[in-house]
């Protein structure tokens, strides 16, 4: 396990020194997304945007304002909970045709409407992905009481937990030497703090998760994020808030391209996603392939009538390198400590930006093209942990 920690620290030091981490060969990826008429962002040179290091400190906490969405929040103790969410494929009839995409039909998630931030990252080298929902604001109202389907964690997810210092619910993970997720959470201190909720330990959290009847295993585990949050020992509940900067209206207009659609090709034709800007709501609506990406109301109400399409005020494509442990195509090791390009979409505009994360326990700070910390619109944010060599496009009309 010391091997894993040393490996993480070495990667952090290399990235922090300003040396570029070379992208691994893009083995297995097959790009099928149409690029005609679109602006293509792929394998871009490191922008090296200059920034003032004073901006890497935490922003002031504003009483009554959420650090994750910028929206009003009630009183209560701040402690976000991340949940590992599966993104499996399903086939449905849509617009009169049978289509197969990830995270649709009966394989759509539930409880996602409560997530402040949704992360997506590579799970398989060939382009299948996994989601992470971060809940914070809603937890102050005791919601959600169900989220899923819950799946396993990887090294990058453990690093994401360290960034937020909150809880994380997951269902097991790899256990090989040098890639043991349970041991990694222990080494990082998350287990000692009561922050790592491994639902594979059936009896330990039996009142807070179960397998859903009628859904095929393994995509059938639900968890109660609000409930497991209450299990955190009181001595570990005092964690520091790490607010983003928010504005009421998008400040990135003059001099910035319109971006009316944002399109991510992870390298697998069934995991292509699109974000279409809706001017009426000021949000990007997410699609999985051609189908709206929705979330069911709850584990007890998984009906199409109540399903909600997930939409975001901000879409951030954070360019990060991946390696694969022992060259195993399903064991990604995401390097989320360091710095690199970030393609940012706010208010129907494109901002060529940058990201910096100084250490395993530091927050990720996003910068605009002028070296100022990005100012997000209030609302939910989508963040893709996206390799530089994967295909991203946006359209201006």
């Amino acid at each position: 396990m010391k091997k894993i920690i040393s490996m993480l620290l070495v990667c952090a030091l290399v990235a922090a020194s300003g040396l570029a981490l070379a992208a691994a060969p893009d083995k297995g990826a097959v790009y099928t997304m149409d690029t005609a008429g679109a602006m293509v962002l792929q394998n871009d040179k490191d922008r090296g945007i200059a920034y003032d290091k004073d901006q890497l400190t935490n922003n002031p906490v504003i009483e009554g304002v959420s650090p994750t969405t910028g929206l009003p929040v009630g009183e209560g103790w701040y402690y976000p909970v991340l949940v590992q969410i599966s993104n499996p494929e399903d086939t449905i009839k849509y617009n009169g045709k049978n289509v197969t995409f990830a995270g649709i039909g009966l394989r759509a998630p539930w409880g996602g409407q409560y997530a402040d931030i949704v992360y997506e990252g590579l799970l398989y080298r060939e382009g299948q992905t996994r989601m992470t929902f971060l809940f914070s604001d809603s937890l102050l109202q005791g919601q959600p009481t169900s989220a899923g389907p819950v799946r396993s964690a990887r090294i990058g997810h453990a690093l994401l937990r360290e960034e937020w210092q909150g809880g994380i619910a997951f269902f097991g993970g790899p256990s090989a030497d040098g890639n043991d997720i349970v041991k990694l959470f222990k080494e990082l201190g998350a287990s000692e703090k009561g922050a790592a909720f491994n639902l594979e330990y059936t009896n330990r959290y039996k009142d807070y998760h179960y397998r859903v009847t009628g859904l095929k295993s393994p995509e059938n585990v639900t968890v109660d994020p609000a409930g497991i949050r209450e299990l955190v020992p009181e001595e570990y509940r005092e964690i520091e808030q790490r607010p983003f900067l928010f504005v009421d209206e998008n400040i990135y207009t003059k001099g910035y391209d319109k971006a009316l659609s944002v399109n991510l090709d992870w390298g697998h034709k069934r995991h292509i996603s699109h974000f279409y800007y809706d001017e009426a709501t000021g949000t990007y609506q997410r699609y999985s392939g051609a189908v709206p990406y929705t979330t069911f109301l709850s584990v007890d109400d998984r009906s199409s009538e109540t399903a909600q399409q997930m939409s975001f005020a901000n879409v951030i494509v954070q360019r990060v390198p991946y390696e694969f442990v022992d060259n195993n195509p399903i064991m990604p090791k995401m390097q989320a400590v360091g710095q690199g390009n970030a393609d940012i979409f706010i208010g129907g505009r494109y901002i060529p930006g940058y990201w910096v994360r100084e250490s395993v326990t530091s927050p990720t700070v996003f910068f605009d093209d002028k070296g100022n910390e990005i100012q997000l619109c209030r609302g939910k944010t989508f963040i893709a942990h996206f390799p530089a060599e994967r295909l991203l496009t946006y359209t201006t009309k």
Side-chain angles (χ1 to χ4, degrees):
M1 185 41 50
K2 290 181 179 179
K3 177 181 178 183
I4 295 182
I5 298 298
S6 298
M7 178 174 61
L8 295 175
L9 292 175
V10 167
C11 290
L13 289 172
V14 170
S17 69
L19 298 176
L21 286 170
D26 209 11
K27 299 176 181 177
V30 177
Y31 303 114
T32 57
M33 188 168 65
D34 186 9
T35 60
M39 305 296 291
V40 176
L41 299 169
Q42 188 179 28
N43 284 322
D44 286 358
K45 180 181 178 181
D46 188 293
R47 296 181 184 123
I49 294 174
Y51 58 90
D52 187 337
K53 288 195 173 183
D54 288 345
Q55 295 181 90
L56 298 179
T57 58
N58 289 346
N59 294 315
V61 175
I62 302 175
E63 186 176 354
V65 176
S66 165
T68 51
T69 65
L71 298 172
V73 289
E75 296 182 357
W77 50 290
Y78 169 76
Y79 195 90
V81 173
L82 299 100
V83 180
Q84 292 304 112
I85 300 293
S86 185
N87 195 29
E89 299 165 12
D90 197 9
T91 300
I92 66 170
K93 180 164 285 188
Y94 185 72
N95 286 341
K97 297 181 180 179
N98 288 330
V99 295
T100 304
F101 295 112
I104 65 172
L106 292 178
R107 298 297 187 91
W110 55 88
Q113 73 275 20
Y114 292 106
D116 295 7
I117 303 172
V118 172
Y119 289 92
E120 184 173 14
L122 276 181
L123 181 66
Y124 289 75
R125 178 157 34 205
E126 65 182 15
Q128 294 93 329
T129 64
R130 177 147 295 169
M131 319 295 284
T132 303
F133 291 172
L134 182 143
F135 301 103
S136 182
D137 290 6
S138 65
L139 297 174
L140 298 176
Q141 284 77 47
Q143 294 290 346
T145 57
S146 64
V150 185
R151 289 301 306 271
S152 57
R154 298 293 187 271
I155 291 173
H157 304 132
L159 296 183
L160 188 59
R161 203 287 327 171
E162 291 302 304
E163 175 173 355
W164 287 98
Q165 289 294 300
I168 182 169
F170 62 103
F171 197 92
S175 57
D177 183 39
N179 188 31
D180 190 318
I181 290 301
V182 172
K183 287 185 179 179
L184 178 57
F185 278 119
K186 289 180 180 178
E187 284 287 323
L188 291 171
S191 299
E192 179 184 348
K193 296 174 183 176
F197 299 94
N198 184 0
L199 306 185
E200 201 169 34
Y201 299 149
T202 305
N203 292 329
R204 186 175 298 180
Y205 308 113
K206 63 181 180 180
D207 294 333
Y208 301 95
H209 82 286
Y210 60 89
R211 291 194 178 274
V212 182
T213 302
L215 289 181
K216 186 178 180 181
S217 178
E219 274 80 33
N220 64 346
V221 176
T222 187
V223 68
D224 176 357
I228 63 171
R229 178 174 177 266
E230 297 296 327
L231 300 179
V232 176
E234 289 192 12
E235 62 266 32
Y236 295 118
R237 293 182 180 182
E238 295 293 329
I239 63 173
E240 193 172 5
Q241 293 189 32
R242 301 172 176 194
F244 291 125
L245 294 181
F246 293 98
V247 290
D248 293 323
E249 294 184 9
N250 179 32
I251 66 170
Y252 302 100
T253 52
K254 187 177 181 180
Y256 295 94
D257 277 359
K258 285 188 176 181
L260 303 184
S261 74
V262 182
N263 316 287
L264 286 77
D265 189 338
W266 295 85
H268 191 288
K269 64 181 181 180
R270 294 174 180 171
H271 286 252
I272 292 174
S273 56
H274 305 280
F275 296 81
Y276 296 110
Y277 185 66
D278 178 20
E279 190 170 357
T281 61
T283 60
Y284 282 97
Q285 298 179 337
R286 189 181 192 274
Y287 285 73
S288 182
V291 180
Y293 181 77
T294 62
T295 177
F296 292 125
L297 189 62
S298 70
V299 70
D300 298 318
D301 188 352
R302 292 171 26 258
S303 63
S304 58
E305 291 76 19
T306 61
Q308 300 178 19
Q309 183 171 12
M310 297 191 71
S311 60
F312 304 90
N314 314 286
V315 174
I316 300 175
V317 181
Q318 181 183 351
R319 298 293 191 156
V320 296
Y322 284 79
E323 296 176 1
F324 289 83
V325 179
D326 296 328
N327 205 30
N328 187 326
I330 64 170
M331 293 299 165
K333 176 163 63 74
M334 180 188 70
Q335 302 299 331
V337 179
Q339 57 195 52
N341 291 345
D343 298 305
I344 304 171
F345 302 88
I346 303 173
R349 300 283 177 162
Y350 166 59
I351 305 100
Y354 211 61
W355 67 271
V356 177
R357 183 179 173 192
E358 289 188 301
S359 70
V360 171
T361 56
S362 298
T364 300
V365 180
F366 295 99
F367 295 95
D368 62 25
D369 55 321
K370 296 178 176 60
N372 299 314
E373 183 173 351
I374 198 76
Q375 297 189 55
L376 303 175
C377 284
R378 301 184 193 278
K380 300 176 184 297
T381 297
F382 178 91
I383 300 175
H385 287 141
F386 204 66
E389 67 274 12
R390 303 289 158 134
L391 177 61
L392 166 67
T393 71
Y394 69 94
T395 60
T396 59
K397 56 184 180 180

